[in-house]
Amino acid sequence: MPVSEPASGLEAQVLRALDTVQDPELRRPITELGMLKDVHVDADGGVAVDVLLTIAGCPLRGTITADVERALAAVPGVGAVTVNLDVMTPEQRNALKDRLRGGDPVRTIPFNRPDSLTRVYAVASGKGGVGKSSVTVNLAAAMASLGLRVGIVDADVHGFSVPGLLGITRPPTRVDEMILPPVAYGIKTISIGMFVDGNQPVAWRGPMLHRALEQFLTDVYFGDLDVLFLDLPPGTGDIAISVGQLLPGSEILLVTTPQSAAADVAERAGSVATQTGQKVTGVIENMSWLALPGGERLEVFGSGGGAAVSGRLGDTLGYPVPLLGSIPLDVALREGGDGGLPVVLADAVNADGAAANADGAEGAVAPASDTAAAELRRIAAELAHRPRGLAGRSLGVSPV
């Protein structure tokens, strides 16, 4: 039965079940994407489903097959299920790309469109080693666990680390010039680290860095996101300037540690907003203290740096820049990063102490301490529930 023909009875139930099967990379139903070619239901309840893959070497073909089988197994009256995989023709791929881009033939940055409701956070720091990437990944994972659609652009081209922190080991899928990012823990992620072999360094200068970031924002299909995080390199160099140019509506989240040496350079990183026109949403202080066995707090790197940056930036920028939270030193946070499992998700670890992400990679981690994980979840919830005004945005309706 071609899917365009009307169905009734068991056939209609089968089609409704297939509506729930999503492409694991595009995160949209295969029936909506034109991937469902044909469905045949036998008199004895046997079902044969023909699915069109975007490319011949689709890395998640097994996931699609398993998801179709699982969805149909829940339909009363369905017997044996056969899934046949084929590949889209160039014309079908072009139709898919047009559908994903909303019919817009021009490759633009979708997050700059007037009707975009995606909140873009550029996570910055004055210096390296303050845990900026760990904070980015855990905030993204916490928001995804709340049901938000989240993406990450690892914009730290020279010091990429996001794929490892999320346990992503496979490259993106290319559909002609469109790039489909891997998904881990519900987070769509792109990084230059997915395009290099092993631990090979990336030795690029300014124009190439700008072009790489621009390609990530135009050629990578993130879909309709609620939140996009950009993990910036430390300082106020080429990428920070490019983000201000390419995503003028992005907001800066500034990560620092408590000591004055880090706080001073963090303030400079936040002050770049006066030149780029971006807004600094808040400051996050990482490695704030170490909880001792007796319950005391050891302030390894001093205290007050985050509050100092918050206050001084507020004076410089002319609006309040709140201290969003203080994250303690926590072994579980480091272990989660090494194992590819964000600490905010460690409560979901199974009895063996291993959790599988969307790529099937496993990372063994210790149970999370309530401290770092709880503070990161609290900050994420606060950012997730911040209202966003609709002034100047298209609502897609016209007066009658």
Side-chain angles (χ1 to χ4, degrees):
M1 177 192 66
V3 294
S4 59
E5 294 182 1
S8 60
L10 183 58
E11 292 177 344
Q13 295 180 56
V14 165
L15 290 177
R16 284 196 295 270
L18 291 172
D19 282 336
T20 67
V21 178
Q22 291 194 338
D23 178 275
E25 293 174 307
L26 296 172
R27 313 296 271 187
R28 288 170 63 174
I30 61 173
T31 52
E32 179 184 315
L33 296 171
M35 296 175 65
L36 189 60
K37 178 182 178 181
D38 197 5
V39 178
H40 179 73
V41 181
D42 293 335
D44 60 356
V47 180
V49 181
D50 296 339
V51 177
L52 295 173
L53 302 176
T54 52
I55 59 173
C58 177
L60 296 177
R61 56 195 299 134
T63 301
I64 294 173
T65 298
D67 289 348
V68 169
E69 293 172 343
R70 187 179 304 110
L72 296 183
V75 178
V78 167
V81 175
T82 303
V83 182
N84 303 308
L85 301 179
D86 201 349
V87 182
M88 287 184 172
T89 64
E91 293 76 19
Q92 289 169 328
R93 274 197 301 274
N94 288 333
L96 171 64
K97 290 183 291 183
D98 288 344
R99 189 180 294 114
L100 295 176
R101 289 181 178 140
D104 186 358
V106 181
R107 289 155 65 183
T108 59
I109 298 176
F111 311 109
N112 288 336
R113 293 174 182 163
D115 59 348
S116 174
L117 294 178
T118 303
R119 191 180 290 276
V120 181
Y121 289 118
V123 186
S125 67
K127 61 189 292 293
V130 300
K132 169 181 51 60
S133 298
S134 293
V135 169
T136 301
V137 164
N138 277 280
L139 290 179
M143 288 190 184
S145 72
L146 294 173
L148 275 66
R149 294 162 295 186
V150 184
I152 297 179
V153 171
D154 188 355
D156 193 351
V157 173
H158 293 141
F160 56 85
S161 60
V162 171
L165 293 171
L166 286 171
I168 297 174
T169 57
R170 67 175 185 84
T173 300
R174 297 194 70 107
V175 180
D176 301 329
E177 77 284 354
M178 180 179 285
I179 301 171
L180 307 183
V183 182
Y185 308 113
I187 308 165
K188 294 183 177 181
T189 305
I190 195 69
S191 170
I192 198 66
M194 299 172 182
F195 299 90
V196 299
D197 294 328
N199 204 26
Q200 179 183 346
V202 179
W204 289 352
R205 287 184 170 176
M208 293 183 69
L209 297 173
H210 180 92
R211 176 62 187 132
L213 179 61
E214 186 176 34
Q215 186 172 8
F216 283 167
L217 295 172
T218 55
D219 291 355
V220 176
Y221 177 75
F222 284 102
D224 188 14
L225 297 181
D226 296 303
V227 183
L228 175 69
F229 285 94
L230 287 91
D231 183 28
L232 271 57
T236 57
D238 294 300
I239 289 291
I241 296 170
S242 293
V243 169
Q245 294 173 340
L246 295 171
L247 292 167
S250 59
E251 305 174 49
I252 296 175
L253 291 176
L254 200 57
V255 179
T256 184
T257 49
Q259 74 267 39
S260 58
D264 290 344
V265 292
E267 182 184 353
R268 291 200 294 270
S271 297
V272 76
T274 60
Q275 301 174 43
T276 61
Q278 295 164 283
K279 178 184 178 181
V280 180
T281 294
V283 177
I284 298 173
E285 185 183 84
N286 195 24
M287 309 181 194
S288 298
W289 71 86
L290 176 65
L292 299 178
E296 302 89 353
R297 290 183 176 183
L298 175 61
E299 294 174 336
V300 180
F301 298 110
S303 63
V309 174
S310 170
R312 294 200 296 258
L313 274 179
D315 294 338
T316 299
L317 300 175
Y319 56 81
V321 178
L323 176 62
L324 297 173
S326 299
I327 304 166
L329 280 163
D330 195 334
V331 173
L333 181 59
R334 191 271 303 165
E335 290 178 331
D338 289 346
L341 173 67
V343 71
V344 295
L345 303 179
D347 289 345
V349 173
N350 62 28
D352 296 330
N357 66 14
D359 282 339
E362 291 191 349
V365 297
S369 162
D370 288 338
T371 49
E375 183 69 350
L376 284 160
R377 290 193 204 101
R378 187 193 64 77
I379 296 169
E382 181 178 338
L383 292 172
H385 292 101
R386 291 174 61 237
R388 175 153 191 171
L390 298 177
R393 299 185 178 276
S394 171
L395 297 181
V397 296
S398 302
V400 178

